[in-house]
Amino acid sequence: MDVQEEIKKYIASQPEQKRSEMQELHRLILHIMPRCKLWFLDGKNSENKTVSNPNIGYGQHLLKYADGKSREFYRIGLSANSTGISVYIMGIEDKTYLAQTYGKKLGKASVSGYCIKFKTFKDINLDILEMAIRYGVENR
């Protein structure tokens, strides 16, 4: 199965409200990044053990580890979680930037160094979420 089919299947597997919101975010991110590389990570490690929620990735970013190693990864990520949706914005050096810049304006969301988690669209300001995603895309 190719990446686009895996993404489609993953989104379709979500409960209705989460499914429609993830589909809308998927379209928004593709609008912002029309020719980006797409990723689908099933959340399993090399032993086929579940270690995270599956997630969709957009674009490319070089992840650098403390030991000096690096690997290619996505720039923006999207994932369903047990209580809602997570949007990952990778590559931001200042781990307080997202929370300080968008946290209070987003609404009812949890914001960490690279992740914005929310239950549903009605809890957040979608324009602010889009601004944070755009920042993540442009912040190279």
Side-chain angles (χ1 to χ4, degrees), residues 61-138:
H61 167 70
L62 194 62
L63 267 184
K64 295 177 183 168
Y65 295 98
D67 65 4
K69 293 181 181 174
S70 61
R71 73 175 175 118
E72 186 182 20
F73 203 61
Y74 56 72
R75 179 161 290 282
I76 305 295
L78 176 61
S79 180
N81 62 55
S82 59
T83 60
I85 297 172
S86 297
V87 175
Y88 305 99
I89 302 174
M90 308 304 287
I92 299 173
E93 295 294 322
D94 179 353
K95 297 303 174 203
T96 63
Y97 182 82
L98 279 181
Q100 288 178 349
T101 307
Y102 304 106
K104 289 180 180 160
K105 297 183 234 172
L106 260 169
K108 204 168 158 186
S110 166
V111 184
S112 72
Y114 65 91
C115 181
I116 298 170
K117 264 195 248 192
F118 55 92
K119 188 171 184 175
T120 178
F121 280 178
K122 67 182 177 212
D123 291 342
I124 63 165
N125 182 324
L126 282 172
D127 291 335
I128 301 299
L129 179 61
E130 181 178 347
M131 287 173 61
I133 292 168
R134 286 184 182 278
Y135 173 79
V137 171
E138 294 162 5

Side-chain angles (χ1 to χ4, degrees), residues 34-58:
R35 292 177 294 285
C36 69
K37 176 178 179 175
L38 289 174
W39 303 66
F40 182 75
L41 305 172
D42 65 5
K44 297 182 188 223
N45 67 11
S46 57
E47 289 93 47
N48 208 31
K49 184 177 177 185
T50 300
V51 293
S52 71
N53 292 322
N55 47 106
I56 303 165
Y58 308 84

